[in-house]
Amino acid sequence: MDLTDFGAGAQYIAGRQGRGSGDAFQVVNPADGSVVQEISLASTGQVDEAVAAARAALPEWAGATPGARSEALTRLAAVLTDTAADLARVETAQTGKPIKLSTEFDVPGTIDNTAFFAGAARNLEGKAAGEYSGDHTSYVRREAIGVVGSISPWNYPLQMAAWKVLPAIAAGNTIVLKPAELTPLTSLMFARACTLAGIPDGVVNVVTGAGRVAGEHLVSHPDVAMVSFTGSTPVGRRVAELATATVKRTHLELGGKAPFVVFDDADLDAAVHGAVAASLINSGQDCTAATRAYVQRPLYDAFVAGVAELYEGIRLGDPLDPRTDLGPLVSFTHRDRVAGFVERARAYATVVTGGAAPAKGHDGTDLTRGAYYRPTLITGAAQDSEVVQGEIFGPVLVVLPFDSDDEGLRLANDTPYGLAASAWTGNVHRSLRATRELAAGCVWVNDHIPIISEMPHGGYKSSGYGKDMSQYSLDEYTQVKHVMFDTTAVARKDWHRTVFGDR
């Protein structure tokens, strides 16, 4: 099976790839506007087919031993390893992200996630069996929830597909994944890799469709027991609203506006380099990307100058060129949305560098056909301004000064979001306070962005709830059942008198 053959279409149901019966759609390379793949979107009827396939596959897969599911995921990791170069190439073609990011981050991270969940599948923990009442033996079972309906975003299509699929199926569920229609191709490759690895047909299904058609139908489907969504907070609210109607379990990983707090004893060089990397990863299209740098006043001017200098040296260009640092944004529509934030900010803040689409790449190539935007540094914005409070989701960093530690932490927490944050300091007491008081699901100290399979990822506040990756994610995808056995063989128990009769 050639994982890169999309001629059969962008739907993958019950182990078979097929065409959608909805509208025609073009997957576009945002680096040059070329068409990567012509597809047809899924109809609501095809969502029904996928859910039915997942429901039919559930008894066998949920009844498989943890060891059998683990072995299947181990084989999946091997298939993904063998096709790593193809996965990276297709991921770059549909998203525009630099090939060095696809090759060194997205694909190996996905393979590592798969290997991790191969192990985690055999470790569904519960409280130790015991006689907690004295007259009964109790134990805890972890059981699959059922059919999971998952919706993944366009910024990390392969990794987000894995984050949705892996814990769900490791715990014995089956899944219908709806990837973003802008970037469905590596999700389809991942599903086909599952088949090659021997995972039964119907366990992993993919429907590529529009959010308001396929997505809303999937979330509302009565045979879907759980919904997992990664995307913007406004859409997450809609998902939660739809899921509530049928009392589904929900898992939401939503928007972010990560603060980057630099105290006056921080290593300035490390903070500057960290801010550039953390704000520009994936062209800033990362919900944990550093977007707001709060710098204590003694370091503020030097930090701004250092970031501006590095921004101006960032190499924009062809994503397939291994020297390219920054690729285009995912679409021209999104590029214009990011530019709109910056243009409105000129009325109340200073654009230190960037703030425009480039004409030429680092090697002189024409970039005007692509959705490129220069790394943009903004200062002088008020805390309540749009660029500080809103999720821009592009290569834009806003820097604000602060004086006291109290002020810096207060400003860092002063948005609706709480997905990620970082603190930069050489003082252990400051770092402990920051990690305690920053209201975010992940807090880094003297770094920003790295994630690992063994540790959970998820937000506070309007950034959602629930965890991806790690053993904690299996809590999201299992039901806990208490089983209790009488150990006395006594027919008339003492507690019965509370209902009838005397002692």
Side-chain angles (χ1 to χ4, degrees):
M1 181 187 294
D2 179 5
L3 297 188
T4 64
D5 180 6
F6 304 108
Q11 318 304 323
Y12 198 78
I13 300 172
R16 294 181 296 277
Q17 192 161 329
R19 298 184 184 280
S21 53
D23 294 339
F25 189 84
Q26 293 181 333
V27 178
V28 174
N29 184 336
D32 58 12
S34 63
V35 176
V36 179
Q37 188 68 39
E38 299 263 5
I39 63 172
S40 297
L41 299 179
S43 64
T44 57
Q46 287 177 304
V47 174
D48 292 338
E49 289 176 28
V51 172
R55 189 178 182 189
L58 181 64
E60 177 188 353
W61 185 249
T65 65
R69 293 196 293 265
S70 173
E71 289 171 3
L73 290 175
T74 298
R75 294 193 298 269
L76 175 59
V79 172
L80 296 173
T81 299
D82 289 343
T83 56
D86 286 339
L87 287 164
R89 178 178 55 78
V90 175
E91 192 77 331
T92 286
Q94 67 178 352
T95 64
K97 66 179 64 189
I99 191 66
K100 64 180 179 180
L101 182 64
S102 296
T103 302
E104 299 177 27
F105 183 79
D106 296 57
V107 173
T110 300
I111 294 169
D112 187 70
N113 289 164
T114 307
F116 171 82
F117 279 107
R122 305 186 76 149
N123 191 31
L124 296 175
E125 293 181 336
K127 195 169 184 178
E131 290 70 49
Y132 295 99
S133 77
D135 292 336
H136 306 81
T137 294
S138 289
Y139 67 85
V140 170
R141 290 177 57 88
R142 282 193 179 271
E143 297 181 347
I145 295 172
V147 176
V148 177
S150 289
I151 300 176
S152 56
W154 47 256
N155 57 334
Y156 290 100
L158 177 63
Q159 281 201 312
M160 294 297 101
W163 285 18
K164 299 300 183 192
V165 170
L166 294 170
I169 68 173
N173 303 282
T174 56
I175 189 168
V176 178
L177 175 72
K178 193 205 85 66
E181 60 270 35
L182 290 175
T183 55
L185 302 180
T186 49
S187 297
L188 289 164
M189 293 173 71
F190 189 87
R192 296 172 79 182
C194 289
T195 298
L196 284 177
I199 295 172
D201 293 348
V203 172
V204 178
N205 307 276
V206 175
V207 289
T208 302
R212 292 192 178 276
V213 178
E216 293 203 357
H217 191 65
L218 178 63
V219 170
S220 305
H221 201 288
D223 290 335
V224 170
M226 174 184 170
V227 171
S228 178
F229 171 78
T230 296
S232 72
T233 296
V235 178
R237 292 192 188 101
R238 175 62 175 163
V239 168
E241 176 187 350
L242 292 170
T244 298
T246 46
V247 199
K248 302 184 195 303
R249 184 182 294 194
T250 54
H251 168 221
L252 304 175
E253 198 261 87
L254 307 179
K257 190 70 178 175
F260 187 100
V261 184
V262 182
F263 294 97
D264 58 12
D265 64 342
D267 181 326
L268 178 62
D269 190 49
V272 166
H273 282 80
V276 171
S279 60
L280 299 184
I281 186 171
N282 203 35
S283 298
Q285 299 168 127
D286 186 310
C287 48
T288 62
T291 59
R292 300 176 291 137
Y294 295 97
V295 184
Q296 208 151 22
R297 207 168 293 274
L299 297 184
Y300 177 79
D301 290 340
F303 179 89
V304 170
V307 171
E309 181 180 1
L310 288 180
Y311 268 14
E312 290 167 2
I314 294 296
R315 296 170 298 187
L316 287 81
D318 178 0
L320 290 175
D321 183 345
R323 297 171 299 167
T324 292
D325 298 321
L326 198 72
L329 298 177
V330 74
S331 69
F332 295 92
T333 298
H334 186 59
R335 193 269 306 276
D336 293 345
R337 177 185 176 276
V338 170
F341 274 93
V342 176
E343 291 309 304
R344 291 188 295 274
R346 294 183 189 276
Y348 56 80
T350 300
V351 177
V352 177
T353 188
K360 299 288 185 181
H362 64 88
D363 59 354
T365 55
D366 179 16
L367 299 185
T368 57
R369 292 184 300 149
Y372 290 88
Y373 198 75
R374 290 177 57 202
T376 300
L377 181 63
I378 296 176
T379 61
Q383 175 67 15
D384 62 356
S385 63
E386 181 188 43
V387 288
V388 175
Q389 295 292 324
E391 188 176 25
I392 301 173
F393 223 59
V396 180
L397 177 65
V398 185
V399 186
L400 299 91
F402 70 92
D403 292 304
S404 68
D405 289 16
D406 289 348
E407 181 190 17
L409 294 172
R410 176 180 60 79
L411 292 172
N413 285 331
D414 182 30
T415 72
Y417 300 104
L419 187 58
S422 64
W424 297 74
T425 176
N427 184 297
V428 66
H429 302 292
R430 267 179 163 166
S431 66
L432 287 171
R433 180 187 178 188
T435 57
R436 183 174 64 249
E437 295 186 13
L438 286 169
C442 177
V443 179
W444 294 280
V445 177
N446 296 328
D447 208 343
H448 192 116
I449 284 296
I451 54 175
I452 51 174
S453 298
E454 290 82 0
M455 288 291 130
H457 176 84
Y460 286 16
K461 303 190 294 185
S462 291
S463 291
Y465 48 81
K467 300 299 178 185
D468 289 309
M469 298 196 301
S470 84
Q471 198 75 28
Y472 291 96
S473 68
L474 292 177
D475 294 342
E476 309 294 330
Y477 292 96
T478 53
Q479 301 188 95
V480 174
K481 178 186 286 184
H482 170 215
V483 178
M484 197 174 202
F485 289 87
D486 170 67
T487 60
T488 66
V490 173
R492 296 188 61 183
K493 296 178 171 56
D494 187 54
W495 72 267
H496 292 178
R497 67 187 174 81
T498 63
V499 181
F500 70 99
D502 301 317
R503 187 185 295 275

